[in-house]
Amino acid sequence: RDALVAAGRPRCRLTFQLTFLEENYAEIPRIVELAARLGIDRVKGHHLWGHWPEMDKRAMKRDAAAVARWNSMVPEAQAVAAETGVLLEGVSQIPADAAHDLAPGAPCPFLGKEAWVSAEG
C-alpha cells in the first residue's frame, strides 16, 4: 500500500473488523495499539447478533452485567485510539436499558456489501 501511494496511486484505508464478544471485548484497547503499530487506519466492529441460542452467552448486550463490563472498557479503548490516531468505530457506551438483541432474527446486514479477508487467507 505504501509503495502504491509513493507512486502517486490513491491510498486505501486498512481496517481491523471485529465482532464484539464476551471473549474479546477486554482486548479491544490492545487491538487498537496493535493496529497503530501495524499501520492499520481503523478498528471497527459490531456487537454479536445471536442467531442461535448457543451464541447468546457470548453477546455483550445480553444482560446488565455484560453491558457494565463492556462500558468499563470503552473509555480505555477510546483513549488509546485518540493517542494513536487510529479511527475507532462502533466502540461506545451501551445504554443500561439496551441489554437485549436489537434485531432478533434479522439477517446480517453486511453480507454481500463488504469484502472481508480472513487472517488465514
Side-chain angles (χ1 to χ4, degrees), residues 39-99:
I40 303 297
D41 306 293
R42 176 175 72 152
V43 173
K44 173 187 174 189
H46 299 277
H47 285 276
L48 175 71
W49 288 29
H51 294 291
W52 298 278
E54 297 83 4
M55 299 171 77
D56 291 344
K57 294 178 186 170
R58 302 172 75 191
M60 296 309 299
K61 292 184 176 184
R62 71 182 177 275
D63 58 39
V67 167
R69 286 192 301 281
W70 169 268
N71 286 345
S72 70
M73 172 280 303
V74 169
E76 181 185 2
Q78 291 175 335
V80 172
E83 292 166 11
T84 62
V86 171
L87 180 60
L88 182 61
E89 295 181 352
V91 177
S92 58
Q93 297 284 318
I94 300 171
D97 62 352

Side-chain angles (χ1 to χ4, degrees), residues 1-3 6 14 50 93 102 121:
R1 173 184 70 166
D2 295 339
L14 297 177
Q93 297 284 318
L102 298 179

Side-chain angles (χ1 to χ4, degrees), residues 18-41:
L18 309 174
T19 299
F20 306 138
L21 307 168
E22 182 70 46
E23 298 93 337
N24 71 8
Y25 82 93
E27 298 173 23
I28 294 172
R30 304 298 75 80
I31 292 170
V32 175
E33 290 172 348
L34 176 62
R37 286 195 308 271
L38 296 176
I40 303 297
D41 306 293

